[in-house]
Amino acid sequence: MQALVSAKQSGEAPGIIHASRNLAAMALVQIGDLEALRGSANAAVESYRRSLQFEDAPNSHVTLALAYQLAGDLDAAMSDVANVLVADPHNADAWLVQGQIWSKKRDYPRAAESFTRSSQLRPAPGADASRVAVLLQSKQRNEAMGIISALLRTSNDRAASHALLSDLYRDANYLDNAEHELSEALRLDPALPRAHYRLGLISLARHEWVLTPESRDHFAKASALDSQDFFSQFALGLVQFFDQQYSGAEPYLKAAREIAPEWPESWLYLGLTAYASGDKNAASEDLQKAIELTGGNGARGNFQIRRAYYTLGRLYSEQERKSEAADAVHRFRELQGEMLLKSASIPEMAGSGMAQMAASTAAFRALPQLEADLRDVAIALDSGHKWPEAVTSHATQEARRRYEKRRVELASILAAALNDLGAAEARQEQFSQALAHFQEAERWHADTPGLMRNLGMAAARVSDYGTAARALRPVVAQNLDDNIARSMLGMSLFATNEFAEAAQTFSPLGDSALDRPELAYTWAASLVKLNRYAEARGLLEKLETRQLSPETLILVAQTWSQMGDYARTVVACRKAVQQDPKHLRAHYIAALALIRQDRPVEAAAELRQELQLNPEDVEAEYHLAFVLLQQSQTDEALRLLRSVLARDPEHAEANYELGKQLLSNHDPQDAIGYLEAAARLKPGFEPVHYQLQAAYRSAGRKEDADREAKLYRELKAKSRNITLPPPRAQQVEETESSNPN
C-alpha cells in the first residue's frame, strides 16, 4: 500500500500500474486464505487464480494448489505444485502441499518423501505432523514415534499437541493410542475444546461407526460444553437424526448451519430431516442449497451429497415433476457409481437397516475428514499456526465475525487498488482494460471513492453507453456541480435513446454547453427527438453564432433537416464546405434538403460535386439519377441507376426507379425483374406493387397482375385506415392511371 501511495505521488502511470497490480494480487491471496480457512474451497480457488493474473508469484501457485486440494481436484492441485517445484526445488511450502496431495491419493511413500524434503528445507511443526500422519497411515509407527517425541519436546502447547496426535492416530485406526493421547491432553487441559467430541468419534470408530450409548453420551457432553462448535453441534444433530428424532435433530443442525453456513453438511441433513418430517418445501430448499455449496466436489464426505439427489428425485416424483426427478436420479446414480469405484461401500437404500448403517458411516466419517481438510489448510497456509487453535477458531461465531470483518477490509483494499490501476490505464488511453478493472472493483466494493465516476467515463470512451449511464447517474445525483460527469451522462443517455432524461440532464448546463459544441448539438438533438422544436431551434441558433468545425456544422445541418428547416440545412452545409471544400457528405446533405425544397437543378449540382469527391458514393449516385429523372434527363439517369445496381443489386429504390422508368418506356419484360426485386426488398412500399401489376398486365400475366393489384389495394387501404371496397376486375387500371408515383 505504501508503494502504491508513493507511485501515485510520483504521478507516473507505469509505476502506479505496477504497484496497484501487486497490491491487488496480495489482497486476492489474503482473501483466498480466508476463504480456505472458512472451508469455501471454490471461492479460494477463484481468488488465488485471479491473483496470479496480477502477479505470477510461486507462493500463489502453492496456495492455489492447496485450494484445489480442498476442493477435491487433486490432479489440478498436483499440476500447480509440480510446476512450482520444477522452477524452484527448494520451495518448502510446495513440498509440504505436494505431500498432502500424495497423502490424499494414498501414496504414502511419496507423501513421506515430500514432507521430509519440506522439513529439511525449513523445519516446522506442520511438516513434522504431516510426516507422522503418513507414517501412521502406512503402518510405520516405530519410525513415527521418533518424530512424535521431538514434536512433544518442542511444543509450546503440549495439550494441543497430544490432541493433534490423537487425531492422527484415530485417522490411522490406532484407536488405543488415540484414546491415550486424548486422555493425556485432557489431563494437561481439562477444558480442552472438543475433547468429548473426539472421544465420541473414537467410540464410533471402535464399533465400525455404529452409534453406541457411549458415543451418544460424549456428543451430548460436547454440545453442552461448547454451543458454538460446529462439529459438536453437527454430531449431536446426526445422533438425533439417525434415532429418527427429527424434531430433536433440527435445533442442533440449525445451530451447526448458523456457525458454518458455507458448509453443505448441515444443509443436507436439515433437508433430509425436513423431508422425513413431511415439510417438502423446506426439504427442497435445504437440499438444493447443499448441492449448490458442494459445487463440483461430489466426493466430499464420502459422496454424501448423493443423498440430496436421491431425496430430491423422490420429492420431484411425488410432485409429478418428471424431468427434474429424472435428472436428480441420474446424478444420484453417477455419484453412487463413483463412490463404489473408490470403495466397497454398502449400497444405499438397500433396506431400512442397511441404509441407516450406510448413512451413518458416510456422515460420521465426514466429520474427521472435514477436520483433516482444515488441518491441512492451516498447516499449509502458515506452518507456524498452532493448528488446533486454527481449527477450533474456525467453528466459533467470533472467528467468523473476524473473518467477515477482515474480508470486508481486504475487499475495500482490493477495490481501491483496482480503481487506481484502471485510472492509470485510462491515462494511457487503455480504456477497455481500465473499464474491466473498474467493473471488477465495483463487484468488490462499489462505494470506493471516485470509482463510479471513473467507471462511467471509461465506459463512455469505449462506447458502452448503457454502463456509462448506469454508473454516472448516482455520481451526478450526489454532486450536482460536476458538469463533466453531467455532460458525459447526458451524451450517454442520448446514445441509449433516453432522450427525455438526456434533455433533463443537459438543462442545468445552460449556455455553458455552447462551449462544447458537440454537447450543445446532442442537447438540441435530444429536444428534436422529443418534438420540442422551439427549444431546439433556440439552442441551435445560439450555437451557430460560435466558431464551429465542419463536422459540427454537418451535425447541426442534419438537426435542422430533422425539424424540416431545409433552408437552414443548406446554409449550414455550405458553411462547412467553405471551411473544408473536400468535406464528404456536406454536398450530399445539402442536396437532400434541396430535393425536399423542390429545387432539383441545385440538388443535381451538389450531388455532382459530392461524386467528384467520392465517386464510390452509391447514395449520391442514386439521388443524382432521381433528380435527373425529375428533369427528364432520362438517358443519364438510367445509366446512373444501372451503375448503382451494379455495385449494390439490393438497392430497393434504384430497382424501383429503374423498373418504373423502363415500364414507362414500354419495356415491361425488362422492368419486371427490377420491380420484383424492389417488391422483395420493400414489400410494404405501395407504389412498387402498383407498378408491378401494371408491368405484369402489359406482359399478359393476368394472375400475377391481379395478385399485385390486390396487395396494392390492401396496403393503400391500411395506410388510409379505411374499409376495403369489394374487389372488381381492372379496378387498379381504371382508378390509378394518373398515380403520380
Side-chain angles (χ1 to χ4, degrees):
M1 290 177 69
Q2 184 56 49
L4 179 54
V5 170
S6 299
K8 289 167 69 175
Q9 288 173 346
S10 73
E12 296 180 359
I16 296 172
I17 289 173
H18 178 75
S20 57
R21 288 180 69 88
N22 286 347
L23 179 56
M26 177 163 286
L28 283 161
V29 166
Q30 292 191 17
I31 289 171
D33 292 348
L34 289 178
E35 297 292 0
L37 285 171
R38 281 163 39 116
S40 300
N42 293 329
V45 166
E46 290 306 312
S47 291
Y48 293 139
R49 286 176 59 183
R50 184 62 177 135
S51 77
L52 286 165
Q53 293 171 351
F54 288 111
E55 183 183 17
D56 194 8
N59 282 342
S60 295
H61 281 284
V62 173
T63 49
L64 175 58
L66 174 67
Y68 276 128
Q69 175 190 340
L70 192 62
D73 192 344
L74 298 182
D75 292 335
M78 185 64 80
S79 175
D80 258 279
V81 79
N83 289 336
V84 174
L85 288 172
V86 168
D88 179 13
H90 298 94
N91 191 311
D93 290 331
W95 285 111
L96 176 60
V97 174
Q98 187 184 69
Q100 292 175 354
I101 299 168
W102 283 127
S103 180
K104 280 187 165 52
K105 285 178 173 283
R106 301 189 181 186
D107 190 334
Y108 299 121
R110 285 182 175 177
E113 179 185 352
S114 296
F115 290 137
T116 300
R117 292 289 299 273
S118 177
S119 185
Q120 289 171 344
L121 290 166
R122 188 189 64 211
D128 291 336
S130 297
R131 286 175 64 203
V132 169
V134 296
L135 288 170
L136 291 176
Q137 290 285 355
S138 55
K139 306 307 177 186
Q140 301 179 58
R141 184 167 59 166
N142 291 336
E143 187 175 345
M145 291 304 297
I147 305 172
I148 289 171
S149 297
L151 274 172
L152 291 173
R153 282 197 308 271
T154 58
S155 173
N156 294 323
D157 188 341
R158 288 177 61 84
S161 296
H162 281 290
L164 162 59
L165 292 172
S166 174
D167 282 352
L168 299 183
Y169 276 125
R170 186 194 69 214
D171 292 346
N173 209 33
Y174 290 104
L175 301 182
D176 289 340
N177 298 86
E179 191 167 8
H180 171 76
E181 293 294 338
L182 192 52
S183 297
E184 184 62 19
L186 280 168
R187 184 185 67 80
L188 294 169
D189 181 6
L192 182 72
R194 296 194 199 160
H196 286 285
Y197 158 72
R198 288 184 169 96
L199 287 170
L201 287 180
I202 293 171
S203 176
L204 276 174
R206 283 189 187 281
H207 296 87
E208 299 297 326
W209 300 93
V210 176
L211 286 167
T212 64
E214 182 184 9
S215 59
R216 296 172 194 274
D217 183 56
H218 282 305
F219 289 138
K221 288 180 179 178
S223 175
L225 289 170
D226 187 357
S227 63
Q228 295 304 311
D229 176 64
F230 170 84
F231 293 102
S232 300
Q233 298 300 317
F234 183 52
L236 190 55
L238 287 181
V239 168
Q240 300 285 345
F241 175 83
F242 293 132
D243 285 343
Q244 299 184 9
Q245 301 295 321
Y246 302 121
S247 60
E250 189 175 14
Y252 295 107
L253 293 173
K254 284 186 174 179
R257 181 176 65 184
E258 185 177 348
I259 293 166
E262 67 277 8
W263 284 2
E265 284 74 20
S266 50
W267 292 93
L268 170 63
Y269 282 93
L270 274 169
L272 296 175
T273 298
Y275 182 77
S277 301
D279 189 345
K280 305 299 175 64
N281 290 333
S284 178
E285 292 176 7
D286 288 341
L287 293 172
Q288 288 173 357
K289 184 65 174 181
I291 290 171
E292 175 191 332
L293 292 171
T294 301
N297 188 12
R300 178 179 175 123
N302 195 28
F303 296 91
Q304 63 179 326
I305 195 62
R306 71 194 189 284
R307 302 198 69 204
Y309 288 105
Y310 180 88
T311 306
L312 282 173
R314 294 184 62 183
L315 192 153
Y316 292 149
S317 294
E318 293 167 9
Q319 297 174 344
E320 297 188 356
R321 296 159 64 178
K322 296 180 180 179
S323 175
E324 293 167 277
D327 290 342
V329 172
H330 176 72
R331 182 59 179 145
F332 162 74
R333 288 173 177 164
E334 285 183 336
L335 292 171
Q336 185 84 340
E338 292 177 32
M339 182 188 71
L340 293 173
L341 284 174
K342 288 200 171 186
S343 64
S345 299
I346 300 171
E348 180 116 25
M349 308 303 171
S352 59
M354 296 293 284
Q356 180 103 337
M357 262 181 105
S360 174
T361 300
F364 278 111
R365 283 192 185 279
L367 295 173
Q369 184 58 55
L370 288 170
E371 282 196 301
D373 286 342
L374 277 181
R375 181 172 68 228
D376 289 345
V377 172
I379 289 172
L381 287 178
D382 182 359
S383 59
H385 268 308
K386 294 178 182 177
W387 75 266
E389 291 182 7
V391 175
T392 300
S393 67
H394 171 85
T396 66
Q397 289 186 337
E398 179 57 33
R400 287 186 59 243
R401 282 193 288 269
R402 291 201 304 272
Y403 285 149
E404 289 303 319
K405 180 180 178 182
R406 181 61 177 157
R407 193 182 188 283
V408 169
E409 292 170 351
L410 288 168
S412 177
I413 292 170
L414 174 57
L418 291 167
N419 186 35
D420 288 331
L421 174 59
E425 290 168 334
R427 285 170 54 189
Q428 295 188 325
E429 298 189 358
Q430 299 171 7
F431 296 111
S432 294
Q433 290 176 244
L435 176 59
H437 288 133
F438 291 141
Q439 289 174 320
E440 187 175 1
E442 182 188 15
R443 290 192 291 273
W444 284 104
H445 188 59
D447 292 335
T448 301
L451 171 61
M452 298 308 290
R453 189 179 193 277
N454 289 340
L455 195 161
M457 293 296 186
R461 294 299 294 267
V462 298
S463 302
D464 185 354
Y465 297 112
T467 298
R470 176 186 64 80
L472 292 173
R473 279 189 182 101
V475 173
V476 173
Q478 292 168 15
N479 187 356
L480 299 177
D481 296 329
D482 189 343
N483 286 340
I484 294 176
R486 178 181 293 280
S487 300
M488 193 64 76
L489 173 59
M491 297 186 77
S492 299
L493 291 167
F494 177 80
T496 54
N497 299 327
E498 300 286 345
F499 303 119
E501 190 179 355
Q504 183 179 6
T505 300
F506 286 129
S507 182
L509 295 174
D511 286 350
S512 67
L514 301 171
D515 296 333
R516 292 181 58 194
E518 75 282 2
L519 197 64
Y521 154 73
T522 306
W523 184 4
S526 300
L527 293 169
V528 170
K529 294 290 186 181
L530 300 170
N531 295 324
R532 291 160 61 178
Y533 290 168
E535 296 170 74
R537 185 174 293 107
L539 189 57
L540 289 178
E541 287 172 348
K542 290 180 181 179
L543 184 59
E544 285 185 318
T545 64
R546 304 293 181 100
Q547 182 64 39
L548 303 180
S549 68
E551 291 76 14
T552 304
L553 283 166
I554 293 302
L555 292 174
V556 169
Q558 291 174 319
T559 308
W560 283 123
S561 179
Q562 290 169 13
M563 289 191 286
D565 196 333
Y566 303 119
R568 287 194 166 180
T569 302
V570 174
V571 170
C573 287
R574 287 176 175 167
K575 283 184 180 178
V577 170
Q578 287 174 0
Q579 292 186 39
D580 181 6
K582 295 184 178 181
H583 194 284
L584 297 179
R585 307 296 284 172
H587 291 293
Y588 174 75
I589 293 169
L592 294 185
L594 290 165
I595 290 172
R596 290 184 174 92
Q597 291 180 285
D598 197 20
R599 296 160 64 182
V601 175
E602 294 172 77
E606 294 286 350
L607 290 165
R608 291 186 191 280
Q609 291 184 72
E610 186 71 33
L611 287 168
Q612 286 180 354
L613 296 172
N614 182 13
E616 302 302 315
D617 190 332
V618 170
E619 288 302 317
E621 193 169 33
Y622 162 73
H623 281 91
L624 177 56
F626 180 82
V627 295
L628 291 175
L629 286 173
Q630 288 183 310
Q631 300 173 67
S632 300
Q633 298 181 38
T634 307
D635 291 342
E636 184 180 3
L638 291 178
R639 179 181 61 78
L640 290 170
L641 289 172
R642 292 184 189 279
S643 174
V644 167
L645 292 173
R647 283 179 290 163
D648 182 8
E650 301 294 284
H651 196 294
E653 289 79 8
N655 274 291
Y656 171 72
E657 292 294 343
L658 181 55
K660 185 177 75 168
Q661 192 59 42
L662 290 170
L663 180 61
S664 69
N665 291 347
H666 308 292
D667 189 357
Q669 293 293 349
D670 200 7
I672 285 172
Y674 296 108
L675 292 171
E676 285 177 336
R680 172 176 56 81
L681 294 166
K682 292 186 69 173
F685 184 46
E686 301 164 15
V688 71
H689 296 286
Y690 171 75
Q691 296 294 339
L692 186 54
Q693 67 83 28
Y696 282 145
R697 209 170 298 284
S698 297
R701 296 168 58 177
K702 182 178 183 302
E703 289 184 6
D704 291 332
D706 289 345
R707 183 191 69 245
E708 291 300 316
K710 182 174 182 293
L711 278 173
Y712 172 75
R713 290 195 304 273
E714 289 173 348
L715 290 170
K716 198 75 171 176
K718 185 176 180 180
S719 65
R720 292 172 178 169
N721 195 26
I722 61 173
T723 303
L724 283 173
R728 59 188 180 87
Q730 307 297 318
Q731 182 181 20
V732 172
E733 289 187 39
E734 295 168 1
T735 61
E736 302 291 350
S737 59
S738 61
N739 189 326
N741 290 309

